[in-house]
Amino acid sequence: MSSEHMQIGEVAARTELSLRTIRHYEDAGLVVPSARSQGGFRLYTESDVARLMVIRRMKPLGFSLDEMRALLEATDRLDAGEELPPEERAALLERIRGFEYATRQRVEDLRTQMSRAEEFAATLARRLTSTPTV
């Protein structure tokens, strides 16, 4: 095995994703192992790990597998190293801008939820300290 390749267990440890989750993302077509060992084990590269990290960051923000795929396809196309027609490049960048906007909106929604949760926890704490014990 090449030192540039990692087995799925190492990738799972580095990404903090379970083996099952990584296999699920493979089945969904979001990530494909870069190689297989002679024994048939999945082998991944740093690029594969980076791709899984994008997926891992999108998941808690509520992005669907299809949305993840759309973003990854856009970034793959931009990163392919080939000259793109200006219209296609602009469309891909616009797609990424859409994801950036959606991400900012979802982060703001999470901040609102967190603020409400903290307010609720504080209300409960005040309740506990103001209620006489028996």
Side-chain angles (χ1 to χ4, degrees):
M1 177 170 55
S2 167
S3 63
E4 64 190 45
H5 286 105
M6 297 164 268
Q7 289 187 355
I8 193 170
E10 182 180 347
V11 172
R14 290 193 47 202
T15 61
E16 297 178 346
L17 295 170
S18 69
L19 301 178
R20 184 177 178 181
T21 297
I22 294 170
R23 289 184 187 116
H24 171 69
Y25 291 147
E26 180 184 347
D27 291 342
L30 296 176
V31 66
V32 178
S34 292
R36 293 268 182 173
S37 71
Q38 288 181 342
F41 293 104
R42 295 166 173 86
L43 298 176
Y44 298 88
T45 62
E46 287 297 331
S47 177
D48 299 323
V49 170
R51 188 175 187 89
L52 284 164
M53 292 303 293
V54 168
I55 296 165
R56 193 187 100 185
R57 290 177 180 122
M58 291 180 81
K59 182 68 175 158
L61 294 174
F63 286 102
S64 70
L65 294 177
D66 287 337
E67 289 170 319
M68 292 175 193
R69 188 175 299 105
L71 176 62
L72 291 167
E73 287 170 357
T75 57
D76 288 349
R77 188 77 178 113
L78 287 169
D79 294 344
E82 59 189 69
E83 190 68 29
L84 297 173
E87 308 81 34
E88 182 180 359
R89 182 174 171 72
L92 292 169
L93 290 172
E94 189 57 34
R95 185 183 307 172
I96 292 171
R97 272 189 208 91
F99 279 102
E100 191 267 343
Y101 177 78
T103 298
R104 289 189 183 279
Q105 289 299 118
R106 291 172 188 207
V107 166
E108 190 56 40
D109 291 346
L110 287 171
R111 283 191 178 113
T112 299
Q113 287 180 328
M114 181 62 114
S115 175
R116 289 176 182 159
E118 288 171 341
E119 183 180 292
F120 180 59
T123 299
L124 292 174
R126 283 191 302 277
R127 171 73 182 207
L128 289 171
T129 58
S130 67
T131 303
T133 58
V134 189

